[in-house]
Amino acid sequence: MQISTIDLIVFLSFTLGTVLFGSSFVRKNKNADDYTKGSGTMPGIVVGMSIFATYVSSISFLGLPGNAFLGNWNSLVFSFSIPLAAIIAAKYFVPFYRSISSASAYSFLEERFGYWARAYAAVCYLLTQVARIGSVLFLMALPLHSMLGLSVPVIIVVSALAVIIYSVLGGIKAVIWTDAIQGTILIAGAIMCVIVLLLSMPEGPAQLFDIAIANNKFSLGSFGFELNNSTFWVMLLYGTFINLQNFGIDQNYVQRFKSAKDLKSARFSALFGGMLYLPVSALFFFIGTGLFAFYTANAHLLPTDMPADKVFPYFIIHELPIGFTGLLIAAVFAAGMSTVSTSINSSATVVLTDFLRRKSKPESAVSDMKSLYLISLILGVLGMFVALAMMSVKSALDAWWSLAGIFSGGMLGLFLMGYLSRAPKSIHAMLAVGVGLVLIAWLSFSGQSIFHTYLTIVFGTLSIVIVGFVLSFIFVKKNAK
């Protein structure tokens, strides 16, 4: 599959423009506060669009349509919990984090349970983000390889360097503003695909719905209560805990809450970013369903051995008008760039605030900036090598989910335990996290078939909170005697 010269120019212009625009913010970063929090001057709607763009990676842009093409809308149930998480974040988490002076989401854990808790959460976060950078870069390279004809390693290296340049130089302001632009491109591209699909049906737009309904493509999954399948309820429960973790303890989001110019703007950004994802994710699922209907009605247009996750890239190359193809490729690239740039900046912030400058030592602005530049560069390069290593992994997406589940294990439970009550002490939290990690390891590696893997974060989080509260209650009762 090769694209036209016009489409290539559109794609390259967007990519080069993003790098130059993001890099231009280097002059506005005078100190670490500028680099990590934008000095708290960012408009709420821009921050909100950045939150949305952070959520939508190239995995979502291509994976969700592929998922809907192959199956139904069961995975969309995950998105139903995002508005609830956004509302809770706006009401409770946003003012809580804005009341803390540190740019880190994990300084609170040190105040509650000691430095071990802060270091544990920070290390888990860093491992998760490096794995995330590698996964997104690799998964972004696969469709671009098909669409551009370049080798996967070349695409990984070039795209990684492009993101690293503006992420390192521009800091959080560059990340947020480029995210906002990239998020707009994403939405425009998705809407354009929906329109093209509807207008391309041989018997008109109604045919798309007729074929989809006849094949049960709009189903949200089983409403049964079995726990070893991805039923509606399992997906909803999984999404609730994942999204509470994202909005409640993820440095990517907390940093944005702090970058907004005031509390009202920060709350708006959480609500706007969270609420926007639901309808846009529905658009991605509709695209997948539309692709199924289109190629059912035009079976001769699709190769018989085409994998589900490559159908959308194939459609982009062969069915979209010249110029629009370049825009869609740019949208795929934008989805990956926004995710990677966010991970690089937030991870550098964690290294600086949770390890190098934990005690707020009176270091110079120049020293802090040099540290942030170097850390960002190292993390970006490390993520690039992880992406190259994933070329030998059987399923990069499965590898990402496994790594994310392991590395983020216990973070939400630890945060909720400390946030909800003052009763649990450090020793209670430490023992509870130990129990939670043992349970997470059993769910992940034992090969058990009792519970679906999506429930790992649910049971891991609940076990930590429950064990922590039970231990604190027992010790209080003993001390009272």
Short mmCIF file of all heavy atoms in Angstrom, two decimals, residues 258-319:
data_model
loop_
_atom_site.label_atom_id
_atom_site.label_comp_id
_atom_site.label_asym_id
_atom_site.label_seq_id
_atom_site.Cartn_x
_atom_site.Cartn_y
_atom_site.Cartn_z
N LYS A 258 -2.86 20.71 37.68
CA LYS A 258 -2.05 21.76 38.28
C LYS A 258 -1.64 22.84 37.28
O LYS A 258 -1.28 23.96 37.67
CB LYS A 258 -0.79 21.16 38.92
CG LYS A 258 -1.05 20.39 40.21
CD LYS A 258 0.22 19.75 40.72
CE LYS A 258 0.06 19.31 42.16
NZ LYS A 258 -0.06 20.42 43.11
N SER A 259 -1.68 22.51 36.00
CA SER A 259 -1.24 23.47 34.99
C SER A 259 -2.32 24.49 34.64
O SER A 259 -2.03 25.55 34.08
CB SER A 259 -0.80 22.74 33.72
OG SER A 259 -1.92 22.14 33.08
N ALA A 260 -3.59 24.18 34.96
CA ALA A 260 -4.69 25.10 34.66
C ALA A 260 -4.56 26.38 35.48
O ALA A 260 -4.01 26.38 36.58
CB ALA A 260 -6.03 24.42 34.94
N LYS A 261 -5.09 27.47 34.94
CA LYS A 261 -4.85 28.78 35.55
C LYS A 261 -5.56 29.00 36.88
O LYS A 261 -5.14 29.84 37.68
CB LYS A 261 -5.23 29.89 34.57
CG LYS A 261 -6.70 29.89 34.16
CD LYS A 261 -6.97 30.98 33.14
CE LYS A 261 -8.43 31.01 32.70
NZ LYS A 261 -8.68 32.08 31.69
N ASP A 262 -6.65 28.27 37.14
CA ASP A 262 -7.32 28.38 38.43
C ASP A 262 -8.14 27.12 38.67
O ASP A 262 -8.22 26.24 37.80
CB ASP A 262 -8.22 29.62 38.50
CG ASP A 262 -9.19 29.74 37.33
OD1 ASP A 262 -9.73 28.70 36.91
OD2 ASP A 262 -9.40 30.87 36.83
N LEU A 263 -8.74 27.02 39.86
CA LEU A 263 -9.49 25.81 40.23
C LEU A 263 -10.66 25.57 39.29
O LEU A 263 -10.92 24.43 38.88
CB LEU A 263 -9.99 25.93 41.67
CG LEU A 263 -10.83 24.75 42.19
CD1 LEU A 263 -10.06 23.45 42.11
CD2 LEU A 263 -11.28 25.02 43.64
N LYS A 264 -11.37 26.62 38.93
CA LYS A 264 -12.52 26.48 38.04
C LYS A 264 -12.08 25.91 36.69
O LYS A 264 -12.73 25.01 36.14
CB LYS A 264 -13.19 27.84 37.84
CG LYS A 264 -14.43 27.78 36.96
CD LYS A 264 -15.08 29.17 36.82
CE LYS A 264 -16.30 29.12 35.91
NZ LYS A 264 -16.92 30.47 35.75
N SER A 265 -10.99 26.40 36.15
CA SER A 265 -10.47 25.91 34.86
C SER A 265 -10.02 24.46 34.97
O SER A 265 -10.21 23.66 34.05
CB SER A 265 -9.31 26.79 34.39
OG SER A 265 -9.73 28.11 34.17
N ALA A 266 -9.39 24.14 36.11
CA ALA A 266 -8.91 22.76 36.31
C ALA A 266 -10.07 21.79 36.37
O ALA A 266 -10.03 20.70 35.78
CB ALA A 266 -8.08 22.69 37.58
N ARG A 267 -11.12 22.16 37.09
CA ARG A 267 -12.31 21.31 37.17
C ARG A 267 -12.96 21.15 35.80
O ARG A 267 -13.38 20.06 35.41
CB ARG A 267 -13.30 21.89 38.18
CG ARG A 267 -12.95 21.57 39.62
CD ARG A 267 -13.91 22.21 40.60
NE ARG A 267 -13.93 21.50 41.86
CZ ARG A 267 -14.30 22.04 43.01
NH1 ARG A 267 -14.69 23.33 43.06
NH2 ARG A 267 -14.31 21.32 44.12
N PHE A 268 -13.04 22.24 35.07
CA PHE A 268 -13.62 22.19 33.72
C PHE A 268 -12.80 21.27 32.83
O PHE A 268 -13.37 20.50 32.03
CB PHE A 268 -13.68 23.59 33.12
CG PHE A 268 -14.11 23.61 31.67
CD1 PHE A 268 -15.45 23.53 31.34
CD2 PHE A 268 -13.16 23.68 30.65
CE1 PHE A 268 -15.84 23.53 30.01
CE2 PHE A 268 -13.55 23.67 29.32
CZ PHE A 268 -14.90 23.60 29.00
N SER A 269 -11.49 21.33 32.94
CA SER A 269 -10.63 20.50 32.09
C SER A 269 -10.86 19.02 32.34
O SER A 269 -10.89 18.21 31.40
CB SER A 269 -9.15 20.85 32.32
OG SER A 269 -8.70 20.43 33.58
N ALA A 270 -11.02 18.63 33.61
CA ALA A 270 -11.28 17.23 33.94
C ALA A 270 -12.61 16.77 33.35
O ALA A 270 -12.71 15.69 32.76
CB ALA A 270 -11.27 17.03 35.46
N LEU A 271 -13.64 17.60 33.50
CA LEU A 271 -14.96 17.26 32.99
C LEU A 271 -14.97 17.23 31.46
O LEU A 271 -15.50 16.31 30.84
CB LEU A 271 -16.00 18.25 33.50
CG LEU A 271 -16.32 18.18 35.00
CD1 LEU A 271 -17.18 19.37 35.42
CD2 LEU A 271 -17.04 16.87 35.32
N PHE A 272 -14.38 18.25 30.85
CA PHE A 272 -14.37 18.36 29.39
C PHE A 272 -13.61 17.19 28.76
O PHE A 272 -14.11 16.53 27.83
CB PHE A 272 -13.75 19.69 28.97
CG PHE A 272 -13.71 19.90 27.47
CD1 PHE A 272 -14.85 20.29 26.79
CD2 PHE A 272 -12.54 19.69 26.76
CE1 PHE A 272 -14.82 20.48 25.41
CE2 PHE A 272 -12.49 19.88 25.39
CZ PHE A 272 -13.64 20.28 24.71
N GLY A 273 -12.40 16.93 29.26
CA GLY A 273 -11.58 15.85 28.70
C GLY A 273 -12.23 14.49 28.87
O GLY A 273 -12.23 13.67 27.95
N GLY A 274 -12.82 14.26 30.05
CA GLY A 274 -13.46 12.97 30.30
C GLY A 274 -14.73 12.79 29.50
O GLY A 274 -14.96 11.73 28.90
N MET A 275 -15.58 13.81 29.49
CA MET A 275 -16.86 13.71 28.78
C MET A 275 -16.67 13.59 27.27
O MET A 275 -17.45 12.93 26.58
CB MET A 275 -17.73 14.93 29.09
CG MET A 275 -18.11 15.08 30.55
SD MET A 275 -19.14 13.73 31.14
CE MET A 275 -19.47 14.26 32.83
N LEU A 276 -15.63 14.23 26.74
CA LEU A 276 -15.41 14.21 25.30
C LEU A 276 -15.03 12.83 24.80
O LEU A 276 -15.36 12.45 23.66
CB LEU A 276 -14.33 15.23 24.92
CG LEU A 276 -14.01 15.40 23.43
CD1 LEU A 276 -15.26 15.85 22.67
CD2 LEU A 276 -12.88 16.41 23.24
N TYR A 277 -14.34 12.06 25.64
CA TYR A 277 -13.84 10.76 25.18
C TYR A 277 -14.98 9.80 24.85
O TYR A 277 -14.86 9.02 23.90
CB TYR A 277 -12.92 10.13 26.22
CG TYR A 277 -12.34 8.81 25.75
CD1 TYR A 277 -11.26 8.81 24.87
CD2 TYR A 277 -12.88 7.60 26.14
CE1 TYR A 277 -10.73 7.61 24.39
CE2 TYR A 277 -12.36 6.40 25.68
CZ TYR A 277 -11.29 6.41 24.81
OH TYR A 277 -10.77 5.22 24.34
N LEU A 278 -16.07 9.84 25.61
CA LEU A 278 -17.16 8.88 25.38
C LEU A 278 -17.75 8.98 23.98
O LEU A 278 -17.80 7.97 23.25
CB LEU A 278 -18.24 9.05 26.45
CG LEU A 278 -19.48 8.14 26.31
CD1 LEU A 278 -19.06 6.68 26.26
CD2 LEU A 278 -20.44 8.39 27.47
N PRO A 279 -18.20 10.16 23.52
CA PRO A 279 -18.76 10.22 22.16
C PRO A 279 -17.71 9.95 21.07
O PRO A 279 -18.04 9.36 20.03
CB PRO A 279 -19.31 11.64 22.06
CG PRO A 279 -18.60 12.43 23.10
CD PRO A 279 -18.34 11.46 24.20
N VAL A 280 -16.47 10.36 21.31
CA VAL A 280 -15.44 10.13 20.29
C VAL A 280 -15.10 8.64 20.21
O VAL A 280 -14.90 8.09 19.11
CB VAL A 280 -14.18 10.97 20.58
CG1 VAL A 280 -13.07 10.62 19.59
CG2 VAL A 280 -14.50 12.46 20.49
N SER A 281 -15.02 7.97 21.35
CA SER A 281 -14.77 6.53 21.32
C SER A 281 -15.93 5.81 20.62
O SER A 281 -15.72 4.81 19.91
CB SER A 281 -14.56 5.98 22.73
OG SER A 281 -15.71 6.11 23.52
N ALA A 282 -17.16 6.31 20.80
CA ALA A 282 -18.31 5.73 20.10
C ALA A 282 -18.13 5.90 18.58
O ALA A 282 -18.52 5.02 17.80
CB ALA A 282 -19.60 6.39 20.57
N LEU A 283 -17.55 7.04 18.17
CA LEU A 283 -17.26 7.25 16.74
C LEU A 283 -16.29 6.18 16.23
O LEU A 283 -16.46 5.65 15.12
CB LEU A 283 -16.65 8.63 16.52
CG LEU A 283 -17.58 9.83 16.44
CD1 LEU A 283 -16.77 11.10 16.22
CD2 LEU A 283 -18.59 9.67 15.31
N PHE A 284 -15.26 5.85 17.02
CA PHE A 284 -14.29 4.84 16.61
C PHE A 284 -14.98 3.48 16.44
O PHE A 284 -14.69 2.74 15.50
CB PHE A 284 -13.15 4.73 17.63
CG PHE A 284 -12.23 5.91 17.64
CD1 PHE A 284 -11.74 6.41 18.84
CD2 PHE A 284 -11.85 6.53 16.47
CE1 PHE A 284 -10.89 7.51 18.87
CE2 PHE A 284 -11.00 7.62 16.48
CZ PHE A 284 -10.51 8.11 17.68
N PHE A 285 -15.87 3.16 17.37
CA PHE A 285 -16.60 1.89 17.26
C PHE A 285 -17.52 1.90 16.04
O PHE A 285 -17.68 0.89 15.36
CB PHE A 285 -17.38 1.61 18.54
CG PHE A 285 -16.55 0.99 19.62
CD1 PHE A 285 -15.92 1.78 20.57
CD2 PHE A 285 -16.37 -0.38 19.68
CE1 PHE A 285 -15.13 1.22 21.56
CE2 PHE A 285 -15.59 -0.96 20.67
CZ PHE A 285 -14.96 -0.16 21.62
N PHE A 286 -18.14 3.04 15.79
CA PHE A 286 -19.01 3.14 14.63
C PHE A 286 -18.22 2.97 13.34
O PHE A 286 -18.70 2.37 12.37
CB PHE A 286 -19.74 4.49 14.62
CG PHE A 286 -20.79 4.59 13.55
CD1 PHE A 286 -22.07 4.10 13.78
CD2 PHE A 286 -20.51 5.14 12.31
CE1 PHE A 286 -23.05 4.16 12.78
CE2 PHE A 286 -21.47 5.21 11.32
CZ PHE A 286 -22.75 4.72 11.56
N ILE A 287 -16.98 3.49 13.33
CA ILE A 287 -16.13 3.31 12.15
C ILE A 287 -15.88 1.82 11.91
O ILE A 287 -15.96 1.33 10.78
CB ILE A 287 -14.79 4.06 12.34
CG1 ILE A 287 -15.01 5.57 12.23
CG2 ILE A 287 -13.76 3.60 11.29
CD1 ILE A 287 -13.79 6.39 12.62
N GLY A 288 -15.57 1.08 12.97
CA GLY A 288 -15.34 -0.36 12.84
C GLY A 288 -16.57 -1.09 12.33
O GLY A 288 -16.49 -1.96 11.44
N THR A 289 -17.73 -0.72 12.87
CA THR A 289 -18.98 -1.32 12.42
C THR A 289 -19.26 -0.92 10.97
O THR A 289 -19.72 -1.73 10.16
CB THR A 289 -20.14 -0.86 13.33
OG1 THR A 289 -19.88 -1.29 14.66
CG2 THR A 289 -21.46 -1.46 12.87
N GLY A 290 -18.99 0.35 10.64
CA GLY A 290 -19.17 0.82 9.27
C GLY A 290 -18.26 0.10 8.29
O GLY A 290 -18.67 -0.23 7.17
N LEU A 291 -17.03 -0.19 8.71
CA LEU A 291 -16.10 -0.94 7.87
C LEU A 291 -16.63 -2.35 7.61
O LEU A 291 -16.52 -2.87 6.48
CB LEU A 291 -14.72 -1.00 8.53
CG LEU A 291 -13.93 0.30 8.59
CD1 LEU A 291 -12.71 0.15 9.49
CD2 LEU A 291 -13.49 0.73 7.19
N PHE A 292 -17.18 -2.96 8.65
CA PHE A 292 -17.76 -4.31 8.49
C PHE A 292 -18.89 -4.28 7.46
O PHE A 292 -18.96 -5.13 6.56
CB PHE A 292 -18.29 -4.81 9.83
CG PHE A 292 -18.99 -6.14 9.74
CD1 PHE A 292 -18.26 -7.31 9.80
CD2 PHE A 292 -20.37 -6.21 9.58
CE1 PHE A 292 -18.91 -8.55 9.70
CE2 PHE A 292 -21.02 -7.44 9.48
CZ PHE A 292 -20.28 -8.61 9.54
N ALA A 293 -19.78 -3.28 7.59
CA ALA A 293 -20.91 -3.17 6.66
C ALA A 293 -20.42 -2.86 5.24
O ALA A 293 -20.91 -3.44 4.26
CB ALA A 293 -21.87 -2.08 7.14
N PHE A 294 -19.46 -1.96 5.13
CA PHE A 294 -18.95 -1.56 3.81
C PHE A 294 -18.32 -2.74 3.07
O PHE A 294 -18.60 -2.96 1.88
CB PHE A 294 -17.92 -0.43 3.98
CG PHE A 294 -17.27 -0.01 2.69
CD1 PHE A 294 -17.93 0.84 1.80
CD2 PHE A 294 -16.00 -0.46 2.34
CE1 PHE A 294 -17.33 1.23 0.60
CE2 PHE A 294 -15.40 -0.08 1.15
CZ PHE A 294 -16.07 0.76 0.28
N TYR A 295 -17.49 -3.51 3.80
CA TYR A 295 -16.80 -4.62 3.13
C TYR A 295 -17.69 -5.87 3.04
O TYR A 295 -17.36 -6.80 2.30
CB TYR A 295 -15.49 -4.93 3.84
CG TYR A 295 -14.42 -3.89 3.52
CD1 TYR A 295 -13.87 -3.09 4.51
CD2 TYR A 295 -13.98 -3.70 2.21
CE1 TYR A 295 -12.91 -2.13 4.22
CE2 TYR A 295 -13.01 -2.76 1.90
CZ TYR A 295 -12.48 -1.97 2.91
OH TYR A 295 -11.53 -1.03 2.61
N THR A 296 -18.80 -5.89 3.79
CA THR A 296 -19.79 -6.95 3.57
C THR A 296 -20.54 -6.68 2.27
O THR A 296 -20.80 -7.60 1.48
CB THR A 296 -20.79 -7.00 4.74
OG1 THR A 296 -20.09 -7.34 5.94
CG2 THR A 296 -21.88 -8.04 4.48
N ALA A 297 -20.85 -5.41 2.04
CA ALA A 297 -21.55 -5.01 0.81
C ALA A 297 -20.61 -4.97 -0.39
O ALA A 297 -21.05 -5.05 -1.55
CB ALA A 297 -22.20 -3.65 1.00
N ASN A 298 -19.30 -4.83 -0.13
CA ASN A 298 -18.30 -4.76 -1.22
C ASN A 298 -17.17 -5.75 -0.92
O ASN A 298 -16.00 -5.37 -0.81
CB ASN A 298 -17.73 -3.35 -1.33
CG ASN A 298 -18.78 -2.29 -1.60
OD1 ASN A 298 -19.21 -2.09 -2.73
ND2 ASN A 298 -19.22 -1.61 -0.54
N ALA A 299 -17.54 -7.01 -0.80
CA ALA A 299 -16.58 -8.04 -0.38
C ALA A 299 -15.38 -8.15 -1.31
O ALA A 299 -14.28 -8.52 -0.89
CB ALA A 299 -17.28 -9.39 -0.27
N HIS A 300 -15.57 -7.79 -2.57
CA HIS A 300 -14.48 -7.91 -3.54
C HIS A 300 -13.37 -6.87 -3.33
O HIS A 300 -12.28 -7.00 -3.91
CB HIS A 300 -15.04 -7.75 -4.96
CG HIS A 300 -15.66 -6.40 -5.21
ND1 HIS A 300 -16.89 -6.03 -4.69
CD2 HIS A 300 -15.22 -5.32 -5.93
CE1 HIS A 300 -17.17 -4.80 -5.07
NE2 HIS A 300 -16.19 -4.35 -5.82
N LEU A 301 -13.64 -5.87 -2.52
CA LEU A 301 -12.66 -4.79 -2.30
C LEU A 301 -11.65 -5.11 -1.20
O LEU A 301 -10.65 -4.41 -1.06
CB LEU A 301 -13.39 -3.49 -1.95
CG LEU A 301 -14.30 -2.90 -3.02
CD1 LEU A 301 -14.97 -1.63 -2.52
CD2 LEU A 301 -13.51 -2.61 -4.30
N LEU A 302 -11.91 -6.14 -0.40
CA LEU A 302 -11.04 -6.45 0.74
C LEU A 302 -10.37 -7.80 0.55
O LEU A 302 -11.05 -8.81 0.30
CB LEU A 302 -11.86 -6.47 2.03
CG LEU A 302 -11.07 -6.64 3.34
CD1 LEU A 302 -10.24 -5.39 3.62
CD2 LEU A 302 -12.03 -6.91 4.50
N PRO A 303 -9.04 -7.85 0.66
CA PRO A 303 -8.34 -9.15 0.57
C PRO A 303 -8.87 -10.12 1.62
O PRO A 303 -9.15 -9.72 2.76
CB PRO A 303 -6.88 -8.77 0.85
CG PRO A 303 -6.77 -7.33 0.45
CD PRO A 303 -8.10 -6.73 0.79
N THR A 304 -8.99 -11.36 1.27
CA THR A 304 -9.62 -12.34 2.16
C THR A 304 -8.81 -12.62 3.42
O THR A 304 -9.36 -13.03 4.44
CB THR A 304 -9.84 -13.67 1.41
OG1 THR A 304 -8.59 -14.11 0.87
CG2 THR A 304 -10.84 -13.49 0.28
N ASP A 305 -7.50 -12.43 3.38
CA ASP A 305 -6.66 -12.75 4.53
C ASP A 305 -6.29 -11.51 5.35
O ASP A 305 -5.34 -11.54 6.13
CB ASP A 305 -5.37 -13.45 4.06
CG ASP A 305 -4.58 -12.58 3.09
OD1 ASP A 305 -5.15 -11.60 2.56
OD2 ASP A 305 -3.39 -12.88 2.86
N MET A 306 -7.05 -10.42 5.21
CA MET A 306 -6.73 -9.17 5.89
C MET A 306 -7.07 -9.27 7.39
O MET A 306 -8.22 -9.49 7.75
CB MET A 306 -7.52 -8.02 5.26
CG MET A 306 -7.28 -6.65 5.90
SD MET A 306 -5.62 -6.01 5.61
CE MET A 306 -5.65 -5.79 3.83
N PRO A 307 -6.07 -9.09 8.30
CA PRO A 307 -6.35 -9.09 9.74
C PRO A 307 -7.25 -7.91 10.11
O PRO A 307 -7.20 -6.86 9.48
CB PRO A 307 -4.96 -8.94 10.37
CG PRO A 307 -4.00 -9.34 9.30
CD PRO A 307 -4.64 -8.94 8.01
N ALA A 308 -8.05 -8.08 11.16
CA ALA A 308 -9.03 -7.05 11.55
C ALA A 308 -8.38 -5.72 11.86
O ALA A 308 -8.91 -4.66 11.51
CB ALA A 308 -9.83 -7.54 12.76
N ASP A 309 -7.20 -5.74 12.51
CA ASP A 309 -6.58 -4.47 12.91
C ASP A 309 -5.91 -3.74 11.75
O ASP A 309 -5.41 -2.63 11.92
CB ASP A 309 -5.57 -4.69 14.05
CG ASP A 309 -4.47 -5.67 13.68
OD1 ASP A 309 -4.53 -6.25 12.58
OD2 ASP A 309 -3.54 -5.85 14.49
N LYS A 310 -5.90 -4.35 10.56
CA LYS A 310 -5.32 -3.69 9.38
C LYS A 310 -6.39 -3.23 8.38
O LYS A 310 -6.06 -2.63 7.36
CB LYS A 310 -4.32 -4.62 8.69
CG LYS A 310 -3.05 -4.86 9.51
CD LYS A 310 -2.02 -5.64 8.73
CE LYS A 310 -0.74 -5.82 9.56
NZ LYS A 310 0.30 -6.57 8.80
N VAL A 311 -7.65 -3.52 8.70
CA VAL A 311 -8.73 -3.14 7.78
C VAL A 311 -8.87 -1.63 7.70
O VAL A 311 -9.03 -1.07 6.60
CB VAL A 311 -10.07 -3.77 8.23
CG1 VAL A 311 -11.22 -3.25 7.38
CG2 VAL A 311 -10.00 -5.29 8.13
N PHE A 312 -8.80 -0.95 8.84
CA PHE A 312 -8.94 0.51 8.84
C PHE A 312 -7.81 1.19 8.06
O PHE A 312 -8.07 2.05 7.21
CB PHE A 312 -9.03 1.02 10.27
CG PHE A 312 -9.43 2.47 10.39
CD1 PHE A 312 -10.14 3.12 9.39
CD2 PHE A 312 -9.10 3.21 11.53
CE1 PHE A 312 -10.52 4.45 9.50
CE2 PHE A 312 -9.47 4.54 11.65
CZ PHE A 312 -10.16 5.17 10.63
N PRO A 313 -6.53 0.83 8.30
CA PRO A 313 -5.46 1.40 7.47
C PRO A 313 -5.66 1.12 5.99
O PRO A 313 -5.38 1.99 5.14
CB PRO A 313 -4.20 0.72 7.99
CG PRO A 313 -4.51 0.37 9.40
CD PRO A 313 -5.97 0.01 9.40
N TYR A 314 -6.14 -0.08 5.65
CA TYR A 314 -6.40 -0.43 4.25
C TYR A 314 -7.48 0.48 3.66
O TYR A 314 -7.35 0.97 2.52
CB TYR A 314 -6.84 -1.90 4.17
CG TYR A 314 -7.00 -2.42 2.75
CD1 TYR A 314 -5.91 -2.92 2.06
CD2 TYR A 314 -8.24 -2.41 2.13
CE1 TYR A 314 -6.06 -3.40 0.75
CE2 TYR A 314 -8.40 -2.88 0.83
CZ TYR A 314 -7.30 -3.38 0.15
OH TYR A 314 -7.45 -3.84 -1.14
N PHE A 315 -8.52 0.74 4.43
CA PHE A 315 -9.61 1.63 3.99
C PHE A 315 -9.09 3.05 3.80
O PHE A 315 -9.45 3.73 2.82
CB PHE A 315 -10.73 1.61 5.03
CG PHE A 315 -11.86 2.55 4.72
CD1 PHE A 315 -12.89 2.17 3.88
CD2 PHE A 315 -11.90 3.82 5.28
CE1 PHE A 315 -13.94 3.03 3.59
CE2 PHE A 315 -12.95 4.70 5.01
CZ PHE A 315 -13.97 4.30 4.15
N ILE A 316 -8.24 3.50 4.72
CA ILE A 316 -7.69 4.86 4.64
C ILE A 316 -6.91 5.05 3.34
O ILE A 316 -7.04 6.08 2.67
CB ILE A 316 -6.77 5.14 5.85
CG1 ILE A 316 -7.61 5.24 7.14
CG2 ILE A 316 -5.96 6.43 5.66
CD1 ILE A 316 -6.79 5.33 8.41
N ILE A 317 -6.13 4.05 2.97
CA ILE A 317 -5.31 4.16 1.76
C ILE A 317 -6.14 4.04 0.49
O ILE A 317 -5.95 4.81 -0.47
CB ILE A 317 -4.22 3.07 1.76
CG1 ILE A 317 -3.22 3.31 2.89
CG2 ILE A 317 -3.49 3.03 0.42
CD1 ILE A 317 -2.40 4.57 2.74
N HIS A 318 -7.10 3.12 0.47
CA HIS A 318 -7.77 2.77 -0.79
C HIS A 318 -9.11 3.46 -1.03
O HIS A 318 -9.56 3.54 -2.17
CB HIS A 318 -7.96 1.25 -0.87
CG HIS A 318 -6.68 0.49 -1.04
ND1 HIS A 318 -6.08 0.29 -2.26
CD2 HIS A 318 -5.87 -0.09 -0.13
CE1 HIS A 318 -4.96 -0.39 -2.10
NE2 HIS A 318 -4.81 -0.65 -0.82
N GLU A 319 -9.75 3.94 0.01
CA GLU A 319 -11.11 4.46 -0.17
C GLU A 319 -11.25 5.96 0.10
O GLU A 319 -12.22 6.56 -0.38
CB GLU A 319 -12.09 3.69 0.74
CG GLU A 319 -12.10 2.18 0.53
CD GLU A 319 -12.50 1.79 -0.89
OE1 GLU A 319 -13.19 2.56 -1.57
OE2 GLU A 319 -12.08 0.69 -1.32
#
